[in-house]
């Protein structure tokens, strides 16, 4: 059980650092149906949208014990979402 939690934490931290890297580094772009897409961002969006859901599922399933790995991973997910919202100039409120 703790192995899954540590893997989710590792993926969340790597995604967070990937967001920071993608914000300051320019990667190659691909034009797909007249839309410019960076493949690195597509990879990050996949993890940014799914990891918080998986962390919340683990927190809800294991509500009897306090699991710090899932809470720290959820914090990194929220920070990643906040940085992406700032990068794409999406208002919080």
């Amino acid at each position: 059980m703790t192995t899954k939690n540590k893997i989710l934490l590792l993926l969340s931290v790597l995604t967070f650092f990937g967001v920071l890297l993608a914000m300051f580094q320019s990667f190659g772009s691909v034009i797909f149906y007249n839309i410019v897409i960076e493949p690195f961002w597509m990879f990050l969006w996949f993890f940014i949208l799914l990891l918080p859901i998986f962390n919340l599922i683990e927190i809800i399933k294991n509500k009897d014990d306090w699991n710090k790995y899932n809470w720290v991973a959820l914090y990194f997910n929220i920070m990643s979402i906040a940085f992406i919202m700032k990068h794409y100039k999406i208002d919080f409120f």
Side-chain angles (χ1 to χ4, degrees):
M1 180 157 106
T2 59
T3 306
K4 186 193 318 185
N5 299 338
K6 289 179 183 177
I7 290 172
L8 285 173
L9 176 61
L10 178 69
L11 285 174
S12 297
V13 170
L14 288 176
T15 303
F16 176 73
F17 286 124
V19 167
L20 292 179
L21 177 72
M23 285 175 56
F24 299 115
Q25 182 73 24
S26 178
F27 297 100
S29 299
V30 176
I31 298 174
F32 186 70
Y33 291 113
N34 295 330
I35 299 171
V36 179
I37 300 171
E38 293 185 19
F40 192 73
W41 277 107
M42 290 173 48
F43 180 73
L44 281 176
W45 275 106
F46 175 75
F47 282 108
I48 288 169
L49 294 175
L50 290 181
L51 281 175
I53 295 169
F54 288 139
N55 283 321
L56 285 173
I57 289 170
E58 287 297 317
I59 289 171
I60 292 170
K61 278 183 12 182
N62 301 324
K63 62 183 174 183
D64 293 333
D65 57 339
W66 187 77
N67 194 349
K68 61 185 173 193
Y69 295 119
N70 288 116
W71 285 102
V72 172
L74 189 61
Y75 175 75
F76 276 111
N77 295 142
I78 292 171
M79 292 301 296
S80 297
I81 292 170
F83 278 121
I84 283 186
M85 289 177 71
K86 184 172 180 147
H87 179 70
Y88 284 111
K89 297 179 178 119
I90 300 170
D91 291 332
F92 287 111
F93 299 103

